[in-house]
């Protein structure tokens, strides 16, 4: 196969959802279609039962299993599909956000009874920032759900994206009849506990006026469906793939993941419309996937769970060319040539050493502590991929050394954990104290635990009241200077020395934005 053919057949995406909407279930059904797993429960068994342990232990255990599920690859109808896992716990980590920088599209799962929930919104914010193409799967139609039109409006309003249903449900809950596929113009009839293929219960209907429809779903539902489809075709424009690819239009499907209903339709449409690896921006130029020379960047680093082995796995997304085992690549940040004798790829829950990989693929690289998030590998060109941001943390604490004899260990531990992207470190301009900022509160416990068990260091947290950290810059140097002088007590620097404003309240932030018009306040920062 040529490089271009390998690229064209690749689809790298993430399934994202608010916890409990059905992300794991859908992922598992997709893997079953691909033959990547053979029994239901293979992915699920990795999931930690809710309430069985403390939240903190749950995070630790998820960290343990998440290497296995970080990337799940499978083949379906000639396509090579890579699903990237986003850690599923209620409590967000930056990892979740950053994984989205390595995908070419996403499928958002929404619980039909609950509609759009808080984490769906947050994840969508990141997708919007990058114009990531979005498909929506509205799940659990076998349970009483909200009105489908209401759900479509909700998705549009809450996720700020235009929608176009490509399937439409006929009732829900105990009277759920099935889904009409507007894309293929056929009707899938619902019987719970479907087997692998839903084909047996799919009926083609070019014309919904066909009276036979009534015999399948009953007169009343048939009439309702005709009206609904008329309405959809009247209200929504035809599906515009270009708008979808620009991230402006989400295609919407309905189904029931646990019953494997509507999943095949979703997958087959996904293969047809979802993008293959897209060009990737760097500080100097855009890299096209079809370029002969290999380039890639690290978007996630996973530490070994065994405290005696500090080794880590760095996850690299290939952006162009052919990656080969035992070939020298330039690690741009250090200027060193490195080769990898056992790069790994991930097929479902299995990890194996590979000889080559292509754009869109994720390769696991063995790391002894030298790599950082955002590191670029090339065949010699000094590129730096952009768009791999740090996200403005929302929780903050001062970190203090609790054992004066272990000062060095603490410094090293903090340094490495920050490289992994576990949290962010800021140094206060006021008093030089170190502040750790995270996206989710439980990360503080994880950091404390890992510092102790992996680095033999001990830390103590002290409260600090900050609403949000934002990176500031301006072309108006006078104003920037003035701002930093006046806000001296609220200024800090990140680990790269960039200026960060630590706003106490949303009001203080709004006021600062109002009074200092020439200053740009950023809520993400390039790493
Ligand atoms: P998550 O990864 O998004 O957190 O969700 P997950 O797939 O674990 O699904 C959450 C719960 O919702 C699970 O039930 C799952 O079985 C159920 N579920 C998923 N899809 C559907 C669906 O289409 N219909 C219905 N009725 N339920 C669905 P659980 O009780 O938490 O786990 P389990 O005991 O069933 O494994």
């Amino acid at each position: 196969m040529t490089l271009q053919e390998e690229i064209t057949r690749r689809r790298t995406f993430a399934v994202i959802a608010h916890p409990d909407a059905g992300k794991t279930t859908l992922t598992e059904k997709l893997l079953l279609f691909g033959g990547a797993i053979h029994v239901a429960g293979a992915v699920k068994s990795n999931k930690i039962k809710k309430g069985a342990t403390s939240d903190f232990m749950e995070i630790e255990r998820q960290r343990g299993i998440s290497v296995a599920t970080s990337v799940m690859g499978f083949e379906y109808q000639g396509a090579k599909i890579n699903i990237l896992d986003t850690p599923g716990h209620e409590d967000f980590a930056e990892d979740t956000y950053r994984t989205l920088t390595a995908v070419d599209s996403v499928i958002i799962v929404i619980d039909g009874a609950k509609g759009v929930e808080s984490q769906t919104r947050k994840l969508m914010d990141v997708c919007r920032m990058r114009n990531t193409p979005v498909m929506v799967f509205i799940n659990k139609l076998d349970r009483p759900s909200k009105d489908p039109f209401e759900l479509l409006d909700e998705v549009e309003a809450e996720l700020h994206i235009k929608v176009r249903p490509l399937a439409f449900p006929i009732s829900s809950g105990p009277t759920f009849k099935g889904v009409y596929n507007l894309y293929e113009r056929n009707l899938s009839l619902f019987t719970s506990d479907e087997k692998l293929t839903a084909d047996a219960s799919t009926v083609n209907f070019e014309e919904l006026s066909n009276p036979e429809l009534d015999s399948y779903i009953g007169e009343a539902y048939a009439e309702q469906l005709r009206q609904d489809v008329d309405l959809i075709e009247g209200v929504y424009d035809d599906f515009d793939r270009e708008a979808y690819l620009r991230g402006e239009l989400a295609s919407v499907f309905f189904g029931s993941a646990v019953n494997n209903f509507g999943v095949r339709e979703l997958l087959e449409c996904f293969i047809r419309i979802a993008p293959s690896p897209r060009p990737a921006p760097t500080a100097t130029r855009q890299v096209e996937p079809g370029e002969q020379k290999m380039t890639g960047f690290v978007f996630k680093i996973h530490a070994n769970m065994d405290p005696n082995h500090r080794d880590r796995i760095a996850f690299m997304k290939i952006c162009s060319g052919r990656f080969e085992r035992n070939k020298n690549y330039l690690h741009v940040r250090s200027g060193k040539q490195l080769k990898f004798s056992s790069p790994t790829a991930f097929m479902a829950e299995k990890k194996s050493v590979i000889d080559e990989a292509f754009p869109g693929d994720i390769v696991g690289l063995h790391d002894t502590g030298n790599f950082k998030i955002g590191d670029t590998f090339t065949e010699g060109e000094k590129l730096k991929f952009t768009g791999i941001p740090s996200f403005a943390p929302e929780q903050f604490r001062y970190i203090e050394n609790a054992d004066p004899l272990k000062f060095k260990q603490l410094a090293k531990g903090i340094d490495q954990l920050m490289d992994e992207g576990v949290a962010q470190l800021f140094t206060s301009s006021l008093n030089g104290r170190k502040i750790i900022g995270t996206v989710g509160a439980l990360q503080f416990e994880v950091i404390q635990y890992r510092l102790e068990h992996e680095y033999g260091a001990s830390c103590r947290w002290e409260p600090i009241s900050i609403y949000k950290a934002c990176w500031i810059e301006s072309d108006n140097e006078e104003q920037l200077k003035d701002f930093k002088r006046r806000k001296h007590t609220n200024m800090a620097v990140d680990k790269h020395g960039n200026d960060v404003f630590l706003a106490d309240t949303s009001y203080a932030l709004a006021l600062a934005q109002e009074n200092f018009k020439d200053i740009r306040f950023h809520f993400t920062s390039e790493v």
Side-chain angles (χ1 to χ4, degrees), residues 56-76:
F56 161 65
M57 282 312 286
E58 187 171 323
I59 285 197
E60 263 307 281
R61 289 170 65 180
Q62 282 196 7
R63 204 164 69 81
I65 56 102
S66 71
V67 167
T69 59
S70 277
V71 189
M72 291 163 281
F74 67 97
E75 304 253 348
Y76 187 72

Side-chain angles (χ1 to χ4, degrees), residues 149 222-232:
F149 284 110
E223 199 40 48
Q224 181 69 46
L225 178 64
R226 290 183 187 109
Q227 282 177 17
D228 288 346
V229 171
D230 271 354
L231 189 59
I232 290 167

Side-chain angles (χ1 to χ4, degrees), residues 450-497:
R450 290 190 57 191
L451 284 172
E452 197 177 323
H453 288 84
E454 294 171 33
Y455 298 91
S458 120
C459 77
R460 196 176 61 234
W461 301 111
E462 285 183 18
I464 175 170
S465 165
I466 299 173
Y467 160 70
K468 209 166 225 161
C470 45
W471 288 267
I472 56 164
E473 48 165 27
S474 175
D475 300 327
N476 182 342
E477 269 183 37
E478 273 308 300
Q479 196 171 94
L480 190 62
K481 239 193 205 159
D482 185 36
F483 182 86
K484 282 160 70 172
R485 192 174 44 80
R486 287 181 196 224
K487 305 283 177 192
H488 181 61
T489 50
N490 291 79
M491 289 304 299
V493 288
D494 70 8
K495 65 177 173 168
H496 306 291

Side-chain angles (χ1 to χ4, degrees), residues 182-366:
L182 295 147
Y183 201 64
E184 300 173 2
R185 300 206 80 77
N186 60 30
L187 178 72
S188 300
L189 294 168
F190 178 69
T191 46
S192 61
D193 204 20
E194 296 259 326
K195 295 287 171 272
L196 257 183
T197 59
D199 291 351
S201 54
T202 303
V203 199
N204 285 316
F205 274 101
E206 277 302 322
E207 288 300 329
L208 281 178
S209 54
N210 187 339
E212 259 186 57
L213 181 65
D214 302 34
S215 64
Y216 282 104
I217 54 175
E219 207 175 311
Y221 287 119
E223 199 40 48
Q224 181 69 46
L225 178 64
R226 290 183 187 109
Q227 282 177 17
D228 288 346
V229 171
D230 271 354
L231 189 59
I232 290 167
E233 290 179 345
V235 170
Y236 296 100
D237 293 333
D238 283 349
F239 176 65
D240 175 355
R241 181 169 180 235
E242 291 307 313
Y244 157 74
L245 291 175
R246 288 195 300 272
E248 293 165 6
L249 177 75
S251 51
V252 183
F253 289 79
F254 292 83
S256 168
V258 80
N259 291 295
N260 201 14
F261 188 79
V263 179
R264 184 187 60 82
E265 289 80 358
L266 175 77
L267 177 60
E268 288 183 1
C269 182
F270 170 79
I271 289 172
R272 260 189 278 166
I273 69 172
S276 49
R278 308 200 292 170
T282 73
T284 41
R285 68 184 186 89
Q286 179 151 294
V287 170
E288 299 293 329
E291 291 177 19
Q292 290 302 317
K293 293 198 169 151
M294 199 296 293
T295 62
F297 67 87
V298 173
F299 67 93
K300 172 171 171 166
I301 293 177
H302 206 294
N304 199 315
M305 293 294 287
D306 178 353
N308 298 321
H309 294 93
R310 286 273 175 73
D311 302 3
R312 313 189 286 188
I313 296 183
F315 291 84
M316 172 167 73
K317 168 146 193 219
I318 314 283
C319 297
S320 69
R322 184 186 301 259
F323 172 88
E324 289 170 63
R325 185 158 81 95
N326 279 329
K327 181 168 170 174
N328 272 317
Y329 291 113
L330 174 67
H331 177 230
V332 174
R333 188 169 50 81
S334 69
K336 286 189 187 138
Q337 293 282 337
L338 299 172
K339 66 179 173 192
F340 300 96
S341 57
S342 50
T344 45
F346 309 82
M347 289 302 273
E349 72 272 47
K350 286 192 289 292
K351 193 172 113 190
S352 55
V353 173
I354 44 135
D355 290 320
E356 57 177 15
F358 297 93
D361 285 343
I362 311 299
V363 178
L365 304 175
H366 180 239

Side-chain angles (χ1 to χ4, degrees), residues 16-27 44 47 49-50 88 109 111 137 139-143 255-261:
I16 56 180
H18 191 88
D20 256 6
K23 179 177 70 109
T24 313
T25 312
L26 180 68
T27 304
K44 193 100 196 162
K47 212 175 115 154
K49 279 276 161 230
K50 295 160 207 104
V109 185
D111 182 328
F137 183 75
N139 191 27
K140 305 197 185 180
L141 267 287
D142 60 314
R143 291 218 188 128
S256 168
V258 80
N259 291 295
N260 201 14
F261 188 79

Side-chain angles (χ1 to χ4, degrees), residues 77-223:
Q77 295 185 347
K80 165 80 195 295
I81 297 169
N82 295 313
I83 307 183
L84 271 56
D85 192 28
T86 49
H89 192 269
E90 285 272 358
D91 203 84
F92 259 25
E94 266 208 65
D95 252 8
T96 309
Y97 285 150
R98 210 175 283 109
T99 296
L100 296 178
T101 66
V103 301
D104 297 303
S105 70
V106 296
I107 295 179
I108 299 181
V109 185
I110 290 173
D111 182 328
K114 294 190 180 145
V116 174
E117 294 172 87
S118 59
Q119 287 196 20
T120 329
R121 268 183 231 112
K122 284 189 181 181
L123 290 160
M124 183 63 202
D125 286 344
V126 181
C127 296
R128 207 175 313 102
M129 222 168 71
R130 306 175 52 80
N131 304 319
T132 309
V134 169
M135 288 172 89
V136 174
F137 183 75
I138 298 185
N139 191 27
K140 305 197 185 180
L141 267 287
D142 60 314
R143 291 218 188 128
S145 305
K146 290 189 183 179
D147 175 74
F149 284 110
E150 199 183 303
L151 283 163
L152 291 168
D153 288 348
E154 188 174 325
V155 170
E156 201 157 73
E158 303 251 343
L159 300 184
H160 308 287
I161 188 164
K162 280 178 70 179
V163 295
R164 174 60 161 102
L166 291 182
F168 204 76
I170 303 149
S171 188
S172 70
T175 56
F176 182 45
K177 298 286 170 206
V179 165
Y180 183 68
N181 304 302
L182 295 147
Y183 201 64
E184 300 173 2
R185 300 206 80 77
N186 60 30
L187 178 72
S188 300
L189 294 168
F190 178 69
T191 46
S192 61
D193 204 20
E194 296 259 326
K195 295 287 171 272
L196 257 183
T197 59
D199 291 351
S201 54
T202 303
V203 199
N204 285 316
F205 274 101
E206 277 302 322
E207 288 300 329
L208 281 178
S209 54
N210 187 339
E212 259 186 57
L213 181 65
D214 302 34
S215 64
Y216 282 104
I217 54 175
E219 207 175 311
Y221 287 119
E223 199 40 48

